Amino acid sequence: MSKDQPKTMGQQFGRRSWAEPWKIKMVEPIRIKTPEQRLAAIEEAGYNTFLLRSEDVYIDLLTDSGTSAMSDRQWSGMLAGDEAYAGSRNFYRLEQAVRRYYGYRFVVPTHQGRGAEHLISQALIREGVTIPGNMYFTTTRLHQELAGGTFVDVIIDEAHDPQSQHPFKGNVDLQKLEQVILEVGPEQIPYISLAGTVNMAGGQPVSMANVKGLRELCDRYSIKIYLDATRMVENCFFIQEREEGYRGRTIESLLLEFCSYTDGAWMSAKKDSLVNIGGWLAINDEEVFEIARNLVVVYEGLHTYGGLAGRGMEALAIGIEESVADDHVRTRVDQVRYLGNLLASWDIPIVQPVGGHAVFVDAKSFFPHIPQSQFPAQTLAAELYLDSGVRSMERGVASAGRDPETGEHRYPKLELTRLTIPRRVYTQAHMDVVAESVKAVFEGRDSVRGLRMVYEPRYLRFFQARFERI
Ligand code: F0G
């Protein structure tokens, strides 16, 4: 059901529907709380959806991280765990899967993505260096800053415009990047921080042409490229769908080609790879690998488990293989687009084009009367929960945090509320319920007031901050 998909199931207008390439074998009951219980729960949570208890949530679209459903093959892998402290057979399976599907030489397992971000940042960043990248991600940038670096955004301008229909809004602006290189000097740039389907931009992809151009530019200045491969599989789907010359190619071959233009990658396997916890760092350069392999024993665990159980590494190796299947990726992304197109058809402002893992509601346009200093995206997440028990996440000024130099709020151009879809978990009917709830809040938007922050933790404040209604 690509771009012009029908508004409801069954309205197929001369074409045949797709369906998910799986059937449901086990279910987990969910219940909706009463409006009074929801009000008590969100007040108790300080109007922060991260602080809600999951049993108070009806449909949980907080994140697609660690929330996907494993297959029967992955669950059977969980019984094949080799729980040896050192040299677990499951580690070698994982290493083989990363090499085969992502193409890198050396693999270091980590407990999740930020574990790998920590290692690569500590291995490569010195005090005072600059790390250019295609828009920040919260944990990624923090690890770069804690290691002494400064992140500089070099994504194309279209990424900051929710209405721009650019097909590859995740692209690096190569001119902006070259300007940064010339300003600070190539030796002051340890690597480019490149992300597939840029999360904070709305799940927007990077084209193959862009990564090729980036490789050429970086080769001229001898700069390395490290990839945040967290949602790279979903990125490859957009290349397959939209980029000239790549239409007949498999996701598997696109993934290998894309990664081949980079020097290494970190991964939160909790997303694309269909496991509840896990990550890795992969590197081609043997010297950098040795540093990372040494650091992992300090922060994560021995280099053949890195904070994971043997069974978890087995499920992850299987998940990687399942994640690159073309029919899986297509139905995954199309479910996200089904929700997005439904909202757009009711003139609810969302980031366009709809991205790979989530629908991002443009909270600035949704609540034009709430200034950004009163957290419109946080407000929308709270209102949505109050309306229907649907949990979403703020991706705006609370997530952006404060500038480490000035201590002021960073006001990002994008002030978004993210409806994030776990993989293989919810049905189209759940998407209809979510869409109708967003519509109900939209219809009552004029009477909604903003929030004030009453508690602010030092790091990654959005996770634990508390708010009050104004
Ligand atoms: N990179 C990206 C692009 C991410 O989206 C995340 C996590 C990470 C790195 C860090 O990985 O959570 O395994 O430590 N994103 C989650 C989200 C939290 O909800 O978008 P992690």
Side-chain angles (χ1 to χ4, degrees):
M1 274 197 230
S2 59
K3 279 169 236 142
D4 307 310
Q5 62 182 290
K7 293 179 178 55
T8 56
M9 293 242 292
Q11 292 177 290
Q12 295 304 325
F13 301 117
R15 62 175 303 287
R16 304 293 293 263
S17 297
W18 52 261
E20 287 80 0
W22 39 259
K23 56 184 176 175
I24 296 165
K25 179 156 8 195
M26 192 188 278
V27 296
E28 177 184 342
I30 50 176
R31 281 183 52 232
I32 185 165
K33 296 279 167 123
T34 64
E36 296 73 30
Q37 287 170 325
R38 297 200 295 272
L39 180 60
I42 198 77
E43 278 182 351
E44 164 99 23
Y47 287 84
N48 184 348
T49 52
F50 278 104
L51 300 179
L52 287 167
R53 291 170 187 239
S54 109
E55 60 184 16
D56 291 330
V57 172
Y58 175 40
I59 298 174
D60 201 347
L61 305 188
L62 182 72
T63 176
D64 63 331
S65 182
T67 53
S68 295
M70 292 209 295
S71 67
D72 53 357
R73 285 182 63 226
Q74 286 178 291
W75 277 109
S76 62
M78 294 289 277
L79 293 178
D82 169 8
E83 308 304 344
Y85 187 89
S88 160
R89 126 183 115 240
N90 313 115
F91 165 72
Y92 297 102
R93 286 261 294 129
L94 170 60
E95 183 184 54
Q96 204 180 21
V98 174
R99 283 184 175 156
R100 171 165 172 201
Y101 293 101
Y102 291 84
Y104 301 110
R105 285 176 72 199
F106 303 111
V107 181
V108 179
T110 61
H111 77 284
Q112 63 183 86
R114 70 199 73 175
E117 290 170 342
H118 180 213
L119 300 183
I120 194 68
S121 303
Q122 292 297 326
L124 295 179
I125 295 173
R126 294 172 280 109
E127 195 62 41
V129 299
T130 296
I131 303 101
N134 54 343
M135 199 172 273
Y136 86 99
F137 184 71
T138 53
T139 57
T140 316
R141 179 175 65 189
L142 180 61
H143 278 297
Q144 292 163 348
E145 288 173 351
L146 290 173
T150 301
F151 177 85
V152 178
D153 187 11
V154 292
I155 203 164
I156 58 172
D157 288 341
E158 286 88 341
H160 297 282
D161 172 6
Q163 293 313 311
S164 161
Q165 293 286 342
H166 194 294
F168 291 102
K169 284 167 92 171
N171 280 356
V172 173
D173 184 327
L174 298 178
Q175 274 184 335
K176 266 192 214 170
L177 173 59
E178 189 158 23
Q179 218 171 322
V180 174
I181 297 172
L182 295 174
E183 264 164 37
V184 305
E187 66 295 338
Q188 290 301 315
I189 298 179
Y191 61 94
I192 308 297
S193 182
L194 178 71
T197 55
V198 180
N199 194 351
M200 304 301 279
Q204 304 296 331
V206 177
S207 70
M208 196 71 89
N210 189 246
V211 70
K212 276 191 193 176
L214 180 65
R215 179 78 268 171
E216 273 174 37
L217 180 67
C218 288
D219 282 348
R220 266 193 274 137
Y221 293 100
S222 299
I223 297 174
K224 303 279 186 216
I225 303 170
Y226 280 87
L227 175 68
D228 183 338
T230 297
R231 296 184 187 84
M232 198 53 229
V233 167
E234 288 163 7
N235 195 106
C236 290
F237 172 78
F238 291 113
I239 293 176
Q240 185 189 55
E241 181 184 70
R242 296 178 186 165
E243 192 165 357
E244 213 52 62
Y246 294 97
R247 292 220 171 83
R249 293 267 300 272
T250 60
I251 297 289
E252 192 180 322
S253 79
L254 294 170
L255 183 63
L256 263 183
E257 180 178 337
F258 195 102
C259 293
S260 75
Y261 301 121
T262 68
D263 298 287
W266 64 88
M267 178 75 181
S268 171
K270 305 170 72 171
K271 283 80 165 177
D272 272 354
S273 304
L274 302 162
V275 286
N276 303 118
I277 191 78
W280 45 261
L281 177 64
I283 296 166
N284 287 335
D285 182 327
E286 194 159 3
E287 268 176 48
V288 180
F289 166 63
E290 274 184 21
I291 300 171
R293 186 179 55 179
N294 193 207
L295 284 173
V296 77
V297 300
V298 182
Y299 296 110
E300 303 277 312
L302 193 73
H303 59 279
T304 53
Y305 75 85
L308 299 173
R311 55 182 174 271
M313 292 190 282
E314 187 66 23
L316 171 49
I318 298 167
I320 291 174
E321 190 186 315
E322 292 183 358
S323 76
V324 298
D326 284 48
D327 54 358
H328 159 72
V329 194
R330 178 182 169 205
T331 52
R332 187 286 186 279
V333 176
D334 268 350
Q335 185 182 39
V336 176
R337 292 200 286 212
Y338 174 83
L339 174 61
N341 291 349
L342 205 46
L343 295 178
S345 73
W346 296 330
D347 295 324
I348 294 167
I350 60 167
V351 173
Q352 296 280 1
V354 178
H357 66 301
V359 175
F360 290 73
V361 182
D362 176 3
K364 272 188 195 167
S365 305
F366 196 100
F367 292 132
H369 59 290
I370 301 181
Q372 201 172 8
S373 58
Q374 294 176 11
F375 305 98
Q378 190 79 35
T379 303
L380 177 51
E383 291 299 322
L384 203 53
Y385 174 74
L386 284 168
D387 179 74
S388 62
V390 169
R391 172 152 70 173
S392 57
M393 181 195 290
E394 191 263 10
R395 294 277 79 155
V397 63
S399 292
R402 290 179 187 273
D403 187 308
E405 305 264 290
T406 65
E408 296 298 314
H409 287 307
R410 297 193 251 219
Y411 285 103
K413 286 200 185 121
L414 297 175
E415 176 71 28
L416 309 173
T417 304
R418 188 180 76 173
L419 300 159
T420 337
I421 319 297
R423 296 161 191 78
R424 310 194 291 203
V425 172
Y426 292 115
T427 66
Q428 222 82 313
H430 290 109
M431 297 302 109
D432 289 338
V433 168
V434 171
E436 288 162 19
S437 174
V438 179
K439 187 166 182 263
V441 176
F442 191 57
E443 281 161 0
R445 63 192 178 279
D446 293 343
S447 60
V448 173
R449 303 268 197 80
L451 296 170
R452 89 167 63 86
M453 204 191 301
V454 292
Y455 168 68
E456 179 177 359
R458 179 158 172 209
Y459 300 115
L460 302 174
R461 64 184 185 179
F462 57 93
F463 283 131
Q464 293 151 339
R466 301 183 68 84
F467 302 83
E468 272 172 11
R469 267 181 163 161
I470 289 177

